[in-house]
Amino acid sequence: MYDPAPATPPAPVERWRWGVVWLLFLATLINYMDRQALYSTSDALLAEFVPANPGDDPEAIGKLRNELYARVNFAFGMSFALFQVVAGFLIDRYSLRWLYVGAIVVWSAAGVLTGFLPAGAVAALMACRVLLGIGEAFNWPCAVACIRRVIPRESRGLANGIFHSGASLGAVATPLVAAALLGPDGAGWRNVFVVVGAVGALWAFLWVAVTAGDRAAVIDGEPAPDPGADPGPAPSLLAVFGWRAFWVCLATGVCVNLCWHFYNQWFPRYLSQEVLPDAAGYVPRDRQWVLAGFYVAADLGSVLSGWLTRKLIRGGTSVERSRKLVMTGLALTVAAATVPAVLAANDAPWVKFPLFYLVAAGAVGGFAIFFSLAQDIVPRRTAQILGVCGCTSWVVISLVGLAAGQVAKPGNYAGLFVAVGCVPLLAAAAGWFWRERATGRG
């Protein structure tokens, strides 16, 4: 069994291992930039794929564009979901190091191709998003499994927070890139996809160079058991389905993912249609700056969650209880900030946007907890467990997003956000069923 409060301070983590964590951070940053390119250019892109003719009803056109937006996100989400399971099985059997390189090449190519699609080619757009989902599906199983192999248990929450903060920082960078490349009328949206997609090749070279030699053996090798854990043979994934710990991890993952990714997909549309619409004199660049602040807050929440968990552990609180306390605090923050955020007047941005930023920080902070749970269950099955949890989460996200596309419009966003803002409370409640001082069988 794990010792929740070690009597002696843990040994320092070798610098190269933290270097690998920062490479995972960069990969996740690039991953999110490729994904966010659609969200940050949605107004200009949708105008080409669902054009408006003179005399068309603006509300009807807006509804058609939201429906297409939902279908495109659904295509990405389902491919991303299904291939996380495939990724998990491959990573736990073959070279994590080289699978990661192949994945980033695939998703980067999908991003670049999107920039060359002809206007109105809806099927081709959806095909590119499917390809993007296939490649990006490998990022989280690869990163979470890699951290399990190179970072000791008491520091994994911080490592998870660091690597996953790349998602938020990528989401910050994309609106800024979009603001620079879109132009006043949004005509440069294709350049955003091409520029962002091309960055992935640079990471692939850096990863291969930095993780060569003995480091490659650690990254691709059998994960070492944690101190006090059962070092016996790994049970099958099917056996893991009978453990309480797995279901706690799954429930946490679904709730955390649903809350954040719903906001990630629909907050930009909320800004453009209800809070900062063109009809009120706002331009795309205005919305990009608000989105940048939203994702900066999310980035801070990711790192702060991991840091606070580590701080509690080093202060003598058990690993399990530290995670429960932090997740509960994050969930209460999201729920408490969501209602006043959506009710605040649009002409009071100094009230509205800081509250939404608090929601973003709390929503993303939950990922550090979720990843730590997945890493604790069965070390040899970490990627598979993460893949199953990610697949389930994204099926739910995709179905909810598809349904939202039917009702999302000015006046309806408040109810959608309030409902989703309560979901992390379910994750926090589930977390308290995780047994302390257990090897993971729960």
Side-chain angles (χ1 to χ4, degrees), residues 12-363:
V13 180
E14 296 170 277
R15 291 181 62 183
W16 75 264
R17 296 174 185 267
W18 286 113
V20 169
V21 172
W22 285 107
L23 280 175
L24 302 177
F25 161 87
L26 288 175
T28 305
L29 184 152
I30 296 167
N31 180 294
Y32 245 68
M33 290 186 72
D34 279 298
R35 185 185 310 184
Q36 291 290 131
L38 174 69
Y39 308 152
S40 292
T41 63
S42 62
D43 291 333
L45 183 150
L46 292 171
E48 286 198 19
F49 284 82
V50 184
N53 299 311
D56 285 346
D57 179 10
E59 184 174 340
I61 292 296
K63 185 175 186 299
L64 289 173
R65 289 177 179 173
N66 274 354
E67 289 174 354
L68 174 60
Y69 182 72
R71 292 202 307 273
V72 170
N73 281 322
F74 180 78
F76 166 82
M78 291 305 293
S79 66
F80 185 78
L82 297 175
F83 273 84
Q84 283 194 71
V85 176
V86 176
F89 276 90
L90 292 176
I91 292 162
D92 282 338
R93 284 167 171 76
Y94 303 106
S95 172
L96 183 157
R97 182 168 173 259
W98 287 108
L99 284 168
Y100 216 164
V101 172
I104 200 167
V105 169
V106 169
W107 87 58
S108 298
V112 172
L113 286 173
T114 304
F116 291 96
L117 297 179
V122 173
L125 175 62
M126 295 183 75
C128 284
R129 296 306 282 184
V130 168
L131 185 63
L132 183 75
I134 291 171
E136 291 201 348
F138 282 77
N139 185 70
W140 276 265
C142 277
V144 172
C146 186
I147 286 175
R148 176 58 186 80
R149 297 175 190 187
V150 303
I151 299 294
R153 187 174 188 244
E154 67 92 24
S155 293
R156 281 181 208 142
L158 179 58
N160 290 331
I162 289 172
F163 107 76
H164 194 259
S165 71
S168 304
L169 194 58
V172 172
T174 310
L176 300 180
V177 172
L181 297 178
L182 275 172
D185 57 356
W189 69 266
R190 297 174 184 278
N191 297 331
V192 178
F193 283 90
V194 174
V195 169
V196 170
V199 176
L202 300 176
W203 181 90
F205 286 112
L206 186 62
W207 171 259
V208 171
V210 172
T211 61
D214 293 341
R215 298 173 185 180
V218 175
I219 292 169
D220 283 338
E222 185 82 15
D226 290 319
D230 182 2
S236 68
L237 184 63
L238 187 60
V240 173
F241 288 164
W243 297 358
R244 178 195 297 182
F246 170 78
W247 293 103
V248 171
C249 179
L250 179 64
T252 302
V254 170
C255 293
V256 167
N257 272 284
L258 176 59
C259 179
W260 169 244
H261 289 292
F262 187 90
Y263 261 99
N264 194 28
Q265 292 177 4
W266 290 101
F267 189 65
R269 300 295 295 158
Y270 170 61
L271 291 180
S272 64
Q273 290 191 300
E274 185 168 331
V275 182
L276 303 174
D278 293 338
Y282 296 102
V283 297
R285 186 169 296 175
D286 298 327
R287 294 187 285 272
Q288 302 303 331
W289 287 112
V290 174
L291 285 174
F294 184 76
Y295 295 123
V296 165
D299 189 71
L300 294 174
S302 180
V303 176
L304 181 61
S305 171
W307 175 85
L308 183 56
T309 304
R310 190 178 191 226
K311 184 78 172 176
L312 289 172
I313 294 168
R314 291 195 162 186
T317 307
S318 71
V319 172
E320 293 81 5
R321 182 164 292 271
S322 297
R323 294 171 182 168
K324 294 171 185 178
L325 291 172
V326 171
M327 187 66 233
T328 300
L330 294 169
L332 291 172
T333 298
V334 172
T338 297
V339 175
V342 298
L343 293 179
N346 293 339
D347 59 359
W350 58 90
V351 175
K352 193 176 195 73
F353 294 146
L355 287 168
F356 272 120
Y357 294 168
L358 196 58
V359 171

